[in-house]
Every structure is written in C-alpha cells, then in structure tokens.
Amino acid sequence: MKKLGITLSSFIIDEQRKLGNKASGQFTGLLNDITIACKSIANLVNQGDLAGVLGATKSENAMGDVQKKMDLIANDLFIDALENNGHCAGMASEELDEILTLPEGKPRGKYLVTFDPLDGSSNMDINMDVGAIFSVLRAPADKENPTAEDFAQPGTEQVAAGYCLYGPSSMMVLTTGNGVNGFTLCSSIGEFILTHPHMEIPSDTSEYAINSSNQRFWEAPVQKYIEDCNQGEEGPLGKRYNMRWVAAMVGEIHRILCRGGVFLYPIDERNREVGGKLRLLYEGNPMAMIVEQAGGAANTGYGRIMEVQPNGDPHQRVPVIMGSKNEVEKILSYHAAD
Ligand SMILES: O=P(O)(O)OC[C@H]1O[C@](O)(COP(=O)(O)O)[C@@H](O)[C@@H]1O
Ligand SMILES: [Mg+2]
Ligand SMILES: [Mg+2]
C-alpha cells in the first residue's frame, strides 16, 4: 500500500492559507460539506444492490428524464450536507425543478452551489462509471434568499468546480482556480488523499468521444470532423483516431485529464430546440473550468462555454466540445470553415 500523502481537507486548508487573512473559513467549510456528500454517495454506490440503491422511480425531473433511485438519494445527500452548516445560501440541482433556498432559521452562507448529484445515471444499474459534478458561485451579499437570477452567472465567475468519479476507485477532482488536483478515496480511513497533483491535459490527441448513433443529426462541421478522423492515416488529418464513449461525462472528462482526448456533445437537429443535451450550470461550466485549468479548451462550437451568459433557467442546456487544446481548435476550424 502506497504511503498516504496529503488529505483533501488539509489541501483545502492550505489553499485557504494562500488567501491569507481574507479567508473566513466558509470556503473550506463548504468544500468539506461537498466532500461529505460525495463520500456518502461513494459508500452507497459501491454497495449497489446490497444497499438497495439500484432501479428507477416513477418520477421525472424537469427535463423529463425518469429519475433513478440513486439520483434522488444523491440529491438528498447533497442538500443535507449543504443546508445545515451556514456555508451555502442556495442550491440548484439537476433533480430539483427550481432553485432551492434554505429553510427558515437555517444559517446562510456566502456561496451558491449548483450540482449534478449523479452523472451518468444510465450506468448505475449496469455497474459502470457514475459520478457527481459541482460548481461554486458567490451568493448576493445583500439578499436573505437568492433568486434564479443570482445563479445566472457566467462560468468565469465560478470560485471552484469539481467532480467525484465513482469508478474502480472513487476520486475527487477539484479546482479553486489554481490548477487541478485529483484525490483518491482511501476507504479504510474514509479520506480523499492527493494522488494526482497538478493534472494537465496533453494539447494533442488522437482519441475522440461522441455518441455516434446521433451522427445523422449532427451539424456539417462535426459530421466532417468525425468523417476525417475515421479516415485515419490516409485521411486529411493523417493519423489513426480511436473512439471512446462511457455514457458518463465524468468518465469522459477524467479520461481526458489523464491521457488527453476530446469530448463532444454538440448541438444537433434533435436537441437544437432546447439548446443542446448537457446542462450549463452543473455540467458545462464546472467541467469547462476544470478542463481550462488543466490547460485544455472548452467551447460550444461558437464560443467559450464559460462566457455563455446564463438565461436564469437552472436547466439551460449548452453544446459541449472540450478537451485537448489543439484538437478543440481543430474542431473549431471546421466550424469556422463552414
Ligand atoms: O445517452 P447518451 O447520448 O449516451 O448521453 C450520455 C450523456 O448523458 C449524461 O448521462 C447526462 O447526465 P445525467 O446522467 O446526469 O443526466 C452524461 O453524463 C453523458 O455524457
Ligand atoms: Mg449529468
Ligand atoms: Mg445527473
């Protein structure tokens, strides 16, 4: 067993120290609250059917997706962890139709949290990668309760973003604006340990991830790019490309952080009306901040994801093209040429 390194909680305190006396400790407290939620989810996900967390419910979320049992359990674990300790003033979640403010009498904090409590939930019953994604924004200082408008902050305003991947091991990947670090959950002591410091995405890649069954709906630039990739060495891109699709954004982005690649869930004829598939506040923006902080790029095909001005709908969608910087720029050149 490898010698245990620095724990996530002490890493967060160090990050605080860098802020000197400006730190109130609320940020540390909030990240610890989120860590508690992710550990509690890891504990249940790892036990699967033994914990009775498999299967679907009869309810749907605001997007009309049937909610898995674990979607709702994970959602409740996040709310429990965030509404009691006075670090959070409001939440937005994939599994809540509207934003959630704190019950009467609960202490209000300085931060808003948006989260996808269980990402890749279609993988839950088949024991494949699932995860949680979160983003931290500043709450309005002059309001008892935030409104949906207060969550409508562009991704550039995020003070932290992260995800927890429940794969063969459970890992938390976090950025507070000073690069990206990965922590592995040591189940024997129940602590996340720093195992992947300063994660950086290689600028070049020959691995793409897209749901190819949607090909007939893609726009011309994406059609052409994937076509060129699949022509391999003889094609205009002059190299063999490999394809991956794990049906969980956390799994795709983690692979890209570890070895490079690009992940595309572009706008297409099927999702154009709603503006894409993935959600801006709790999938697009947090993953864009992590990817950019790791030296990658994150774009809609028509602009930087983190510069999209949210419209106040907590479930606003966004087209996603992110990963290795030079490859994303290559895909954008197809859009520019169109
Ligand atoms: O059904 P598809 O096209 O494979 O979509 C998979 C995508 O949908 C998602 O599962 C949506 O997220 P949720 O599971 O949180 O709803 C992404 O994680 C993943 O990248
Ligand atoms: Mg998701
Ligand atoms: Mg989800």
Side-chain angles (χ1 to χ4, degrees):
M1 177 87 161
K2 206 171 163 184
K3 190 169 161 317
L4 293 181
I6 184 172
T7 64
L8 175 57
S9 17
S10 34
F11 178 88
I12 296 170
I13 292 165
D14 283 356
E15 290 280 290
Q16 267 324 133
R17 280 210 191 96
K18 287 182 198 147
L19 295 169
N21 53 16
K22 284 201 297 316
S24 65
Q26 277 220 12
F27 188 54
T28 307
L30 182 85
L31 290 181
N32 277 322
D33 297 342
I34 293 172
T35 305
I36 295 291
C38 290
K39 285 181 188 173
S40 316
I41 298 168
N43 176 37
L44 292 173
V45 164
N46 292 347
Q47 296 176 64
D49 211 18
L50 294 174
V53 296
L54 302 187
T57 69
K58 292 197 174 38
S59 59
E60 291 181 356
N61 63 20
M63 274 95 16
D65 303 332
V66 173
Q67 293 168 312
K68 297 279 186 193
K69 262 194 203 167
M70 199 59 217
D71 280 321
L72 297 180
I73 295 168
N75 193 51
D76 290 345
L77 288 167
F78 262 93
I79 294 172
D80 286 351
L82 289 169
E83 76 176 2
N84 294 308
N85 302 335
H87 306 131
C88 180
M91 305 163 222
S93 162
E94 178 186 4
E95 307 309 338
L96 296 170
D97 292 358
E98 308 301 336
I99 65 148
L100 182 69
T101 52
L102 301 191
E104 206 55 44
K106 293 275 183 186
R108 270 95 177 113
K110 296 195 310 183
Y111 300 103
L112 303 176
V113 181
T114 67
F115 55 92
D116 177 353
L118 193 76
D119 181 61
S121 42
S122 66
N123 283 345
M124 187 62 208
D125 295 355
I126 57 169
N127 198 20
M128 291 290 181
D129 279 1
V130 292
I133 309 172
F134 58 89
S135 163
V136 179
L137 300 163
R138 284 189 181 77
D142 57 355
K143 274 188 196 166
E144 173 73 359
N145 284 321
T147 61
E149 280 57 49
D150 298 313
F151 286 81
Q153 302 177 37
T156 47
E157 296 302 310
Q158 293 175 99
V159 283
Y163 63 79
C164 198
L165 170 64
Y166 309 113
S169 64
S170 293
M171 283 193 68
M172 167 86 84
V173 171
L174 178 71
T175 183
T176 57
N178 308 311
V180 176
N181 293 279
F183 304 79
T184 303
L185 182 60
C186 175
S187 45
S188 54
I189 63 169
E191 270 288 358
F192 282 104
I193 308 291
L194 181 63
T195 49
H196 296 63
H198 315 303
M199 300 181 88
E200 284 187 8
I201 301 175
S203 300
D204 294 297
T205 183
S206 48
E207 195 164 62
Y208 69 81
I210 193 166
N211 184 337
S212 295
S213 68
N214 299 327
Q215 181 170 14
R216 64 193 180 286
F217 303 117
W218 296 337
E219 293 184 325
V222 173
Q223 296 261 14
K224 186 81 180 66
Y225 167 69
I226 297 295
E227 211 176 284
D228 290 354
C229 289
N230 293 343
Q231 287 178 42
E233 294 88 340
E234 283 77 46
L237 300 175
K239 62 180 177 180
R240 182 182 176 289
Y241 276 76
N242 197 0
M243 192 282 264
R244 284 285 181 273
W245 188 250
V246 294
M249 188 182 194
V250 267
E252 315 284 3
I253 300 303
H254 192 71
R255 183 188 60 247
I256 290 170
L257 277 163
C258 294
R259 68 181 192 210
V262 278
F263 166 66
L264 301 92
Y265 217 116
I267 194 102
D268 66 32
E269 293 328 309
R270 220 175 32 130
N271 63 34
R272 182 177 301 289
E273 226 174 280
V274 292
K277 154 105 179 184
L278 301 172
R279 286 52 61 114
L280 180 64
L281 292 190
Y282 46 79
E283 290 169 324
N285 274 338
M287 290 304 205
M289 184 180 183
I290 291 166
V291 164
E292 289 195 7
Q293 282 285 322
N299 205 281
T300 65
Y302 303 96
R304 199 174 156 220
I305 287 176
M306 290 213 289
E307 287 169 10
V308 172
Q309 176 51 48
N311 61 15
D313 169 7
H315 307 295
Q316 176 182 355
R317 320 264 192 145
V318 68
V320 167
I321 299 172
M322 58 171 76
S324 295
K325 199 174 181 55
N326 296 342
E327 198 68 20
V328 171
E329 270 149 29
K330 190 183 293 174
I331 299 169
L332 296 182
S333 69
Y334 282 75
H335 286 75
D338 187 49

